[in-house]
Amino acid sequence: MELLKRLCEAPGIPGYEAKVRTIVEEDLEGYVDSIETDALGNVIAHRSGEGPVVVLAGHMDEIGFFVSHIEEKTGFLRINPVGGFDPINLVAQRVVVHTETGDLVGCIGRKAVHILTDEEKKKPLEVRDLFVDVGLPVEKVAATVRIGDSVTLRQDFVELGDLVSCKALDDRAGVYVGMEAIKRAKNPACDLYFVGTTQEEVGLRGAQVAGFATRPQIGIALDVTIAADTPSVEPKDRVTQLGKGVAIKVRDSASISHPALVRAMRRIAEENGIPYQMEILPRGGTDAGALQMAQEGAAVITLSIPTRYVHSVVEALHPDDLEATIQLLVAFIENADKIDLAG
Ligand code: CO
Ligand code: ZN
């Protein structure tokens, strides 16, 4: 969990994943034959072997912002979102503004409820109306902060009962299980890659080029998925549930998992007593959507980690589901030469 904590607490909006990449590089050293970084910042770790080319991909970026404007008279910052936010999740949060000369802590403030008019209370929140307060006089802000500085949400990694909770579990949890799998696999029956991808949240951009560099025959995206196992959600709308195991994705809006891979994952999970659940996600996508269209095409699937409150700073998941995901990945990797994609 120490590695997951470090991954989650590191900042990295799309295009600015360097700090996460460093953790991946340092941790995987000695476990793989090579680690390279490409022009888009993808980190590509390779354990060469015989058998099909299998590429695991987890995205290193998290949703965040760029500073888009500095209020001339007051020094409050306006922000431009990178990734899909529900603005209600942003109000009253702490952020970090990453400037060239160091980090500034800030907060996203809003008029106190005491002075909100009835009309203001009813008006839907929009990110463009929000502002960041770094608590400094305007001259100091103007001298430190630049348009284009990245801004991340700030939240510590905590245990929440049986769960763990932090910002950016989307998708540091996927990065974590991919790293653990490539380290733990004893006898990979494949030519194995793990890619920490970039810019997933703005359109699977890193995975698209990583798919060309690695030429996967089998691509496995590792990402969180919705666990709406919370009050006021009907069972048919839950997607997945926490603590019920790794989610084997059938489809989302970016990819349809290869039926032979869906069957193989289910069979391997059953043979090894690994808890799993099936997942159909009506909206959203993963790096599998890009990997399947690299080169002449690849068979893809996503293994998902059920997560509550996705795209908020209180994202929460069950460590048992992480473990199930790692175990299924390792078992798959060690049997990859027996997968019949035509069958
Ligand atoms: Co996401
Ligand atoms: Zn994600």
Side-chain angles (χ1 to χ4, degrees):
M1 284 300 117
E2 180 53 36
L3 174 60
L4 180 61
K5 173 181 155 72
R6 276 198 291 138
L7 286 167
C8 284
E9 289 180 350
I13 71 165
Y16 291 71
E17 300 90 351
K19 293 212 166 106
V20 184
R21 184 166 54 243
T22 303
I23 297 173
V24 175
E25 285 165 349
E26 287 176 2
D27 187 81
L28 289 185
E29 223 203 292
Y31 291 98
V32 294
D33 300 312
S34 67
I35 307 183
E36 276 163 33
T37 300
D38 70 10
L40 264 71
N42 292 302
V43 56
I44 302 174
H46 187 201
R47 263 184 87 174
S48 61
E50 297 299 313
V53 178
V54 175
V55 175
L56 316 177
H59 68 90
M60 298 188 292
D61 57 315
E62 69 187 288
I63 52 176
F65 315 88
F66 287 110
V67 173
S68 58
H69 178 75
I70 301 165
E71 299 279 324
E72 286 87 357
K73 294 210 174 80
T74 56
F76 288 99
L77 310 177
R78 297 294 184 159
I79 47 178
N80 167 237
V82 214
F85 278 108
D86 180 349
I88 207 160
N89 288 336
L90 296 174
V91 173
Q93 293 301 328
R94 294 202 174 113
V95 299
V96 180
V97 182
H98 306 277
T99 78
E100 232 170 73
T101 50
D103 290 351
L104 297 175
V105 177
C107 66
I108 298 178
R110 175 168 146 89
K111 251 188 187 179
V113 65
H114 315 69
I115 55 167
L116 273 181
T117 64
D118 288 343
E119 205 171 298
E120 284 171 327
K121 278 183 198 162
K122 271 185 238 143
K123 195 178 160 243
L125 272 172
E126 285 184 59
V127 178
R128 59 195 302 273
D129 297 328
L130 303 176
F131 57 83
V132 168
D133 183 353
V134 291
L136 290 171
V138 59
E139 310 77 50
K140 234 182 185 167
V141 176
T144 320
V145 182
R146 295 278 173 273
I147 306 295
D149 284 347
S150 73
V151 180
T152 51
L153 289 154
R154 183 188 151 137
Q155 190 59 265
D156 296 340
F157 186 91
V158 293
E159 284 176 20
L160 200 80
D162 293 339
L163 313 179
V164 294
S165 175
C166 194
K167 73 157 181 86
L169 278 167
D170 177 10
D171 184 31
R172 310 290 160 70
V175 172
Y176 171 76
V177 297
M179 291 168 71
E180 287 298 307
I182 200 169
K183 286 191 283 186
R184 281 197 218 171
K186 286 206 183 69
N187 297 302
C190 56
D191 194 30
L192 182 62
Y193 290 88
F194 165 73
V195 186
T197 64
T198 56
Q199 302 192 41
E200 189 271 356
E201 295 286 359
V202 288
L204 323 179
R205 294 174 192 167
Q208 197 176 331
V209 300
F212 278 76
T214 54
R215 307 183 68 100
Q217 285 162 292
I218 296 172
I220 306 176
L222 306 166
D223 211 327
V224 301
T225 194
I226 305 300
D229 55 344
T230 51
S232 318
V233 182
E234 286 184 51
K236 71 175 174 51
D237 297 324
R238 281 199 292 238
V239 186
T240 63
Q241 291 171 266
L242 258 54
K244 297 273 163 89
V246 48
I248 299 173
K249 186 173 312 243
V250 176
R251 75 155 298 179
D252 57 28
S253 49
S255 68
I256 292 172
S257 301
H258 194 291
L261 291 178
V262 174
R263 278 196 300 273
M265 289 294 184
R266 192 158 44 190
R267 177 177 52 76
I268 294 168
E270 276 167 13
E271 283 171 2
N272 292 278
I274 299 164
Y276 73 94
Q277 48 194 318
M278 303 307 292
E279 177 205 349
I280 291 183
L281 183 67
R283 247 184 314 152
T286 72
D287 281 338
L291 288 179
Q292 70 179 344
M293 292 192 283
Q295 304 283 350
E296 62 274 20
V300 297
I301 189 167
T302 299
L303 293 184
S304 310
I305 305 125
T307 303
R308 288 183 190 150
Y309 324 119
V310 170
H311 284 200
S312 83
V313 294
V314 293
E315 289 176 338
L317 58 79
H318 199 303
D320 288 356
D321 297 333
L322 282 179
E323 190 53 35
T325 311
I326 296 164
Q327 284 177 12
L328 181 54
L329 269 175
V330 168
F332 182 91
I333 288 165
E334 291 176 346
N335 290 282
D337 57 339
K338 298 186 201 82
I339 309 297
D340 180 8
L341 291 173

